[in-house]
Amino acid sequence: MPITHITRRERFSAAHKLAKEEWSDEQNMEVFGKCSNPNWHGHNYQLFVTVKGETEPSTGFVVDLSALGDLIKERVISKMDHKNLNLDVDFMKGKMTSTENIAIAIWDQLYEPIKSLGAELHKIMLQETENNYVEYYGE
Amino acid sequence: MPITHITRRERFSAAHKLAKEEWSDEQNMEVFGKCSNPNWHGHNYQLFVTVKGETEPSTGFVVDLSALGDLIKERVISKMDHKNLNLDVDFMKGKMTSTENIAIAIWDQLYEPIKSLGAELHKIMLQETENNYVEYYGE
Amino acid sequence: MPITHITRRERFSAAHKLAKEEWSDEQNMEVFGKCSNPNWHGHNYQLFVTVKGETEPSTGFVVDLSALGDLIKERVISKMDHKNLNLDVDFMKGKMTSTENIAIAIWDQLYEPIKSLGAELHKIMLQETENNYVEYYGE
Amino acid sequence: MPITHITRRERFSAAHKLAKEEWSDEQNMEVFGKCSNPNWHGHNYQLFVTVKGETEPSTGFVVDLSALGDLIKERVISKMDHKNLNLDVDFMKGKMTSTENIAIAIWDQLYEPIKSLGAELHKIMLQETENNYVEYYGE
Amino acid sequence: MPITHITRRERFSAAHKLAKEEWSDEQNMEVFGKCSNPNWHGHNYQLFVTVKGETEPSTGFVVDLSALGDLIKERVISKMDHKNLNLDVDFMKGKMTSTENIAIAIWDQLYEPIKSLGAELHKIMLQETENNYVEYYGE
Amino acid sequence: MPITHITRRERFSAAHKLAKEEWSDEQNMEVFGKCSNPNWHGHNYQLFVTVKGETEPSTGFVVDLSALGDLIKERVISKMDHKNLNLDVDFMKGKMTSTENIAIAIWDQLYEPIKSLGAELHKIMLQETENNYVEYYGE
């Protein structure tokens, strides 16, 4: 059967900052600039989850998109939307909340569950603003 | 010569449904949900056709984009725009009109004709709604 | 209190056609062009509902956006999404499903219920494709 | 001279929450839902500032757009971008940070300074997410 | 009959500059900045033409959108697309090609012809970049 | 350390034409169509620069996005924005200004400087209009 990639977009709005707790505000400002604002800032993140697999002949689906959407909502969106990524999200604890690290952490949240849908996670794409996004392929 | 990928977007608005003729409406609703509505629904599809090749030194082109656009219009858009994908499109006959299957069928429509333009089809990307799209590389 | 306008976007994907039942396919094609395809076509509609009112001092809201969203889903989206606008929608029965007429019908669906939220419907904006949209102010 | 409206878009990413300090977290959650998350959340706000005026014959301008952009950056963006709207912004102190209230406060920040550019502020449009935006005309 | 507004988008890609011929490059640079680059620059303009009228009962249309599109293409797009707005466009001769002036000139091109379609031109909206646009209502 | 791709978008508005100097206007029109308009035309180009690398553990960054943005502005945007790509840009001299060639030339401008930021250029994506874009991977 032909192999296709299918992508589902979900969104979340969250607060975060880039700062090391052991550094002073001045040191953080020097390295992370305005992203280290002590009182936080935030974004409308767009998350694109791409899975890969053979199309199932009777449905023409790689994966049931609605089941994939539910899984992303359960494992990621419900934990990140309208939250503080540094303080409220269990799987970000102790990590810098750079877009790179968030994308990697979302991969880890979704990789096994997507297998149980019969498909394979191919890529996490996470867009922080209209001017930047990160892609992670599990490498 | 350097190898580049160039992508042309075209659009079509079409009706379709996801349903097996041999199943009852209830069975179809159970598997395909609202996508199986007996009286059809529809989308504004966005089609992105990516071709790959060496840039021709005298023009700087991989392919004449306007010729590529005409070919896509002739082979795909004229047959799908303002049509019913299940009933009106010869190359979808007997197939589930999932986004995956439509993308694969469009690949088959375009692969050989694009060769005759001196380029190679690399990817079909088909976006059904702002929340989902399929990519097919002919694998 | 200051008066502001707040707009909520919702989306629905639907099939429709522009055709008079009492006309032949040829007559319909002459007047309505490809929009009259007998087997239907469809769109991803974007609906923007704008309400107007004084901001309530304790909340800073004109209206509870989430209640407004629920109301639009109940009165409009649940009846139009993944449906056939000509056949499946009670409040479009017997009407041409032009973007103009759909916008007017949605206004009528929402005007009174929005009043009961304590706000006033100001505008319905309905986008059929990226190249056209209709605005209706209840005039 | 003809009267035109010209609009400049600027953007800011900020944290905020909707909550009354004198209420418990539970009370706030009941009224403001997920927007009251105690540890904040955030958005990529898009701000559209529309000014109105006669076009100046020798330049064809209503206003020098680059001067307008600088003014918006100085009076609004530099104070809101990568900040906490509840804690860091002097002109939001003591106010609910609803989109409505932010738009009204931005109007007050810009009304007089835009006059000194020889134009008249006509509208503030502030988009919080792709699903909602507020318009304020100074009424 | 209800009155609706319907908008048609068309696009054109064009070169231009903002500069007075009787001034030196230095003087133009001082007033118009980088927009005065002697060798031109250019944009992908988006034109939104809004017409207003009663919906015609038998069709549900304010105006035949396809006829409106043809008219805009004939009177505006064919003269501006892939052209130099200062040198190639008859109806811009001797005018500063500010977005304001282009919008006003397009209004003048379309006002009477749209009347002959049985509708009334309501607004020209012209977007030069994603950060700025002009609206003109014929005032 | 995990390998991620991060992309930065920058924009420039420029004039250009596709034409061979040694050909007549008629010959150029025959091969390049409206893109050969002697008096130029122009576009709002969107440039997406993707770099690839290991995320640095203490920051969570592949590269300092703000430094990457500055580098793109210095090496590309300052030379192309509000310029004529055929006449004003040193690194395009003597080349056809096809989207393919511009993307390749931008790669050459950025490849070594990005190395000095500790990352590796992975892809240049250049969008000329909403209907076409080019990708170049340095092959």
Side-chain angles (χ1 to χ4, degrees):
Chain A
M1 296 305 303
I3 291 171
T4 56
H5 296 71
I6 191 159
T7 297
R8 172 87 180 185
R9 183 187 75 141
E10 297 287 346
R11 293 171 292 135
F12 58 96
S13 295
H16 85 133
K17 71 176 162 185
L18 293 176
K20 288 186 176 305
E21 286 180 32
E22 62 270 29
W23 286 3
S24 68
D25 286 359
E26 290 68 30
Q27 285 175 294
N28 277 314
M29 181 57 72
E30 206 175 313
V31 174
F32 297 108
K34 62 184 181 179
C35 298
S36 70
N37 182 47
N39 285 329
W40 319 95
H41 66 284
H43 298 289
N44 298 330
Y45 290 90
Q46 297 201 59
L47 170 63
F48 296 81
V49 177
T50 303
V51 304
K52 177 186 182 172
E54 295 192 352
T55 51
E56 209 271 301
S58 73
T59 58
F61 289 169
V62 167
V63 68
D64 179 330
L65 253 196
S66 151
L68 178 61
D70 289 347
L71 191 153
I72 301 170
K73 275 177 210 118
E74 180 203 331
R75 305 280 304 203
V76 178
I77 304 303
S78 67
K79 297 181 174 183
M80 297 187 124
D81 186 37
H82 283 71
K83 302 289 183 191
N84 183 309
L85 302 184
N86 299 52
L87 302 179
D88 295 331
V89 181
D90 54 1
F91 60 85
M92 291 306 298
K93 282 283 160 61
K95 299 177 187 165
M96 276 289 177
T97 56
S98 66
T99 315
E100 291 92 327
N101 279 353
I102 306 170
I104 294 167
I106 291 174
W107 174 282
D108 291 339
Q109 283 296 298
L110 293 175
Y111 188 75
E112 288 301 329
I114 282 173
K115 268 196 173 159
S116 69
L117 291 181
E120 192 191 336
L121 180 56
H122 176 69
K123 179 166 77 167
I124 295 297
M125 200 259 263
L126 184 65
Q127 187 177 27
E128 194 191 56
T129 74
E130 68 183 47
N131 288 342
N132 66 75
Y133 61 85
V134 160
E135 294 160 295
Y136 181 59
Y137 296 86
E139 300 174 331
Chain B
M1 296 306 302
I3 291 171
T4 55
H5 297 72
I6 191 160
T7 297
R8 173 87 180 185
R9 183 188 73 141
E10 297 287 346
R11 294 172 290 136
F12 59 95
S13 295
H16 85 134
K17 69 176 163 186
L18 293 177
K20 288 185 176 307
E21 286 180 32
E22 62 270 29
W23 287 3
S24 68
D25 286 359
E26 290 68 29
Q27 285 175 296
N28 278 313
M29 180 57 72
E30 206 175 314
V31 174
F32 297 107
K34 62 185 180 178
C35 298
S36 72
N37 182 47
N39 285 328
W40 319 97
H41 67 284
H43 298 289
N44 298 330
Y45 290 91
Q46 297 201 59
L47 170 63
F48 296 81
V49 176
T50 303
V51 304
K52 178 184 183 173
E54 296 191 353
T55 52
E56 208 272 300
S58 73
T59 57
F61 290 168
V62 167
V63 68
D64 180 331
L65 255 196
S66 150
L68 178 61
D70 289 348
L71 191 153
I72 300 169
K73 276 177 208 117
E74 180 204 330
R75 305 280 304 204
V76 178
I77 305 303
S78 67
K79 296 180 175 184
M80 297 189 124
D81 186 36
H82 283 71
K83 301 290 184 191
N84 183 308
L85 302 183
N86 300 52
L87 300 179
D88 296 331
V89 181
D90 53 2
F91 59 85
M92 292 305 300
K93 283 282 159 60
K95 298 177 188 165
M96 275 291 176
T97 57
S98 67
T99 315
E100 291 93 326
N101 278 355
I102 305 171
I104 294 167
I106 291 174
W107 173 283
D108 291 338
Q109 283 296 299
L110 293 176
Y111 189 76
E112 288 300 330
I114 282 173
K115 267 196 173 158
S116 70
L117 291 180
E120 191 190 337
L121 179 56
H122 175 69
K123 179 166 74 168
I124 294 297
M125 201 261 261
L126 183 66
Q127 187 177 25
E128 194 191 55
T129 73
E130 69 184 46
N131 287 342
N132 65 75
Y133 60 85
V134 160
E135 293 160 295
Y136 181 59
Y137 296 87
E139 299 174 331
Chain C
M1 296 306 302
I3 291 170
T4 55
H5 296 71
I6 190 160
T7 298
R8 172 88 180 185
R9 183 188 72 140
E10 297 287 345
R11 294 170 291 136
F12 58 96
S13 294
H16 85 134
K17 69 177 166 186
L18 294 176
K20 289 186 176 304
E21 286 180 32
E22 62 270 29
W23 286 2
S24 68
D25 288 357
E26 289 68 30
Q27 283 175 297
N28 278 312
M29 180 58 71
E30 206 175 315
V31 174
F32 297 108
K34 59 184 182 179
C35 298
S36 71
N37 182 48
N39 286 328
W40 320 97
H41 66 285
H43 299 289
N44 299 330
Y45 289 90
Q46 297 200 59
L47 169 64
F48 297 80
V49 175
T50 302
V51 305
K52 177 184 182 173
E54 296 193 352
T55 52
E56 206 273 302
S58 74
T59 57
F61 289 168
V62 169
V63 69
D64 181 331
L65 254 196
S66 149
L68 177 60
D70 288 348
L71 191 152
I72 301 170
K73 276 179 209 117
E74 180 203 331
R75 306 281 303 204
V76 178
I77 304 302
S78 68
K79 296 180 176 184
M80 296 188 124
D81 186 37
H82 283 73
K83 300 289 185 193
N84 183 307
L85 302 182
N86 300 53
L87 301 179
D88 296 331
V89 182
D90 54 1
F91 60 84
M92 292 304 300
K93 284 282 159 60
K95 296 177 189 165
M96 274 292 177
T97 57
S98 67
T99 314
E100 291 92 326
N101 278 354
I102 306 170
I104 294 167
I106 290 174
W107 173 283
D108 292 338
Q109 282 296 299
L110 293 175
Y111 188 75
E112 288 300 332
I114 283 173
K115 268 195 175 160
S116 69
L117 292 180
E120 191 190 337
L121 179 56
H122 175 68
K123 178 167 75 166
I124 295 296
M125 199 261 262
L126 183 65
Q127 186 178 25
E128 193 191 57
T129 73
E130 68 183 46
N131 286 342
N132 66 76
Y133 60 85
V134 160
E135 293 160 296
Y136 180 60
Y137 297 85
E139 299 174 331
Chain D
M1 297 305 303
I3 291 171
T4 56
H5 296 72
I6 190 159
T7 297
R8 172 87 182 186
R9 183 187 74 141
E10 297 288 345
R11 293 172 291 137
F12 58 95
S13 295
H16 85 133
K17 69 177 166 187
L18 294 178
K20 287 186 177 305
E21 286 180 32
E22 62 271 29
W23 286 3
S24 68
D25 288 358
E26 290 67 31
Q27 285 176 296
N28 278 313
M29 179 60 70
E30 206 175 314
V31 175
F32 298 108
K34 61 184 182 179
C35 298
S36 71
N37 182 48
N39 286 328
W40 320 96
H41 66 283
H43 299 289
N44 299 329
Y45 290 91
Q46 297 200 61
L47 170 62
F48 296 82
V49 176
T50 303
V51 304
K52 177 183 182 174
E54 296 193 352
T55 51
E56 207 273 301
S58 74
T59 58
F61 290 168
V62 168
V63 68
D64 180 331
L65 255 197
S66 149
L68 178 61
D70 289 347
L71 192 152
I72 301 170
K73 276 177 209 117
E74 180 203 330
R75 306 281 302 204
V76 178
I77 305 301
S78 67
K79 297 179 174 184
M80 297 189 124
D81 186 37
H82 283 73
K83 302 289 185 193
N84 184 308
L85 301 183
N86 299 53
L87 302 179
D88 296 331
V89 181
D90 55 0
F91 60 85
M92 291 304 300
K93 282 282 158 60
K95 297 176 188 166
M96 276 290 178
T97 56
S98 67
T99 314
E100 290 92 327
N101 279 354
I102 306 170
I104 294 167
I106 290 174
W107 173 282
D108 292 338
Q109 283 296 298
L110 292 176
Y111 189 75
E112 287 301 330
I114 282 172
K115 268 196 173 159
S116 70
L117 291 181
E120 191 190 338
L121 179 57
H122 174 69
K123 179 167 75 166
I124 295 296
M125 199 261 264
L126 184 65
Q127 187 177 23
E128 194 192 54
T129 73
E130 66 184 48
N131 287 342
N132 65 76
Y133 61 86
V134 160
E135 294 160 296
Y136 181 59
Y137 296 86
E139 298 174 333
Chain E
M1 295 307 302
I3 291 171
T4 56
H5 297 72
I6 191 159
T7 298
R8 173 88 181 185
R9 184 187 72 142
E10 297 287 345
R11 294 172 292 136
F12 59 95
S13 295
H16 85 133
K17 69 177 165 186
L18 294 176
K20 288 187 174 304
E21 284 180 33
E22 61 272 29
W23 285 3
S24 68
D25 287 358
E26 289 68 29
Q27 285 176 295
N28 278 312
M29 180 59 71
E30 206 175 314
V31 175
F32 298 107
K34 61 185 183 178
C35 298
S36 71
N37 181 48
N39 286 329
W40 320 97
H41 66 284
H43 299 289
N44 299 329
Y45 290 91
Q46 296 201 60
L47 170 63
F48 297 81
V49 176
T50 302
V51 304
K52 178 185 182 172
E54 297 192 352
T55 50
E56 208 273 302
S58 73
T59 58
F61 289 168
V62 168
V63 69
D64 180 331
L65 255 196
S66 148
L68 177 61
D70 289 348
L71 191 153
I72 301 169
K73 276 178 208 116
E74 179 203 331
R75 304 280 303 204
V76 178
I77 305 301
S78 66
K79 296 181 175 183
M80 297 189 123
D81 186 37
H82 283 73
K83 302 290 186 194
N84 184 308
L85 302 182
N86 300 52
L87 301 179
D88 296 331
V89 180
D90 54 1
F91 60 83
M92 292 304 300
K93 282 284 158 60
K95 297 176 187 165
M96 276 289 177
T97 56
S98 67
T99 314
E100 290 92 326
N101 278 355
I102 306 170
I104 295 167
I106 290 173
W107 174 282
D108 292 339
Q109 283 296 300
L110 293 175
Y111 188 75
E112 288 300 331
I114 282 172
K115 268 197 174 156
S116 69
L117 292 181
E120 191 190 338
L121 180 57
H122 174 68
K123 179 167 75 165
I124 294 296
M125 201 260 262
L126 183 65
Q127 186 177 28
E128 193 191 56
T129 74
E130 67 184 46
N131 287 341
N132 66 75
Y133 61 85
V134 160
E135 293 160 296
Y136 181 59
Y137 296 86
E139 299 173 332
Chain F
M1 297 305 302
I3 291 171
T4 54
H5 296 73
I6 191 159
T7 298
R8 172 87 181 185
R9 184 188 72 142
E10 298 286 346
R11 293 171 292 136
F12 59 94
S13 295
H16 85 134
K17 70 177 163 185
L18 293 176
K20 289 185 176 306
E21 285 180 32
E22 61 270 29
W23 286 2
S24 67
D25 286 359
E26 288 70 27
Q27 286 175 294
N28 278 312
M29 181 56 73
E30 206 176 314
V31 174
F32 298 108
K34 60 185 181 179
C35 299
S36 71
N37 183 47
N39 285 329
W40 320 96
H41 66 284
H43 300 289
N44 298 331
Y45 290 91
Q46 297 201 60
L47 171 62
F48 297 82
V49 176
T50 303
V51 304
K52 177 185 182 172
E54 296 192 352
T55 52
E56 209 272 300
S58 73
T59 57
F61 289 169
V62 167
V63 68
D64 180 331
L65 254 197
S66 150
L68 177 61
D70 289 348
L71 192 153
I72 301 169
K73 275 177 209 119
E74 180 204 330
R75 305 281 304 204
V76 178
I77 305 303
S78 67
K79 296 180 174 184
M80 297 188 124
D81 186 37
H82 283 73
K83 300 291 184 190
N84 183 308
L85 302 182
N86 300 51
L87 301 179
D88 295 331
V89 181
D90 54 1
F91 60 84
M92 290 306 298
K93 281 285 158 59
K95 297 176 187 164
M96 275 290 176
T97 56
S98 66
T99 315
E100 291 93 325
N101 279 354
I102 306 170
I104 295 167
I106 290 174
W107 175 282
D108 292 339
Q109 283 296 297
L110 292 176
Y111 188 76
E112 287 301 331
I114 282 174
K115 268 195 173 158
S116 69
L117 291 181
E120 192 190 337
L121 180 56
H122 174 69
K123 179 167 78 167
I124 294 296
M125 201 260 262
L126 184 66
Q127 186 176 26
E128 194 191 57
T129 74
E130 67 184 47
N131 287 342
N132 65 76
Y133 61 85
V134 160
E135 292 160 297
Y136 181 60
Y137 296 85
E139 300 175 329

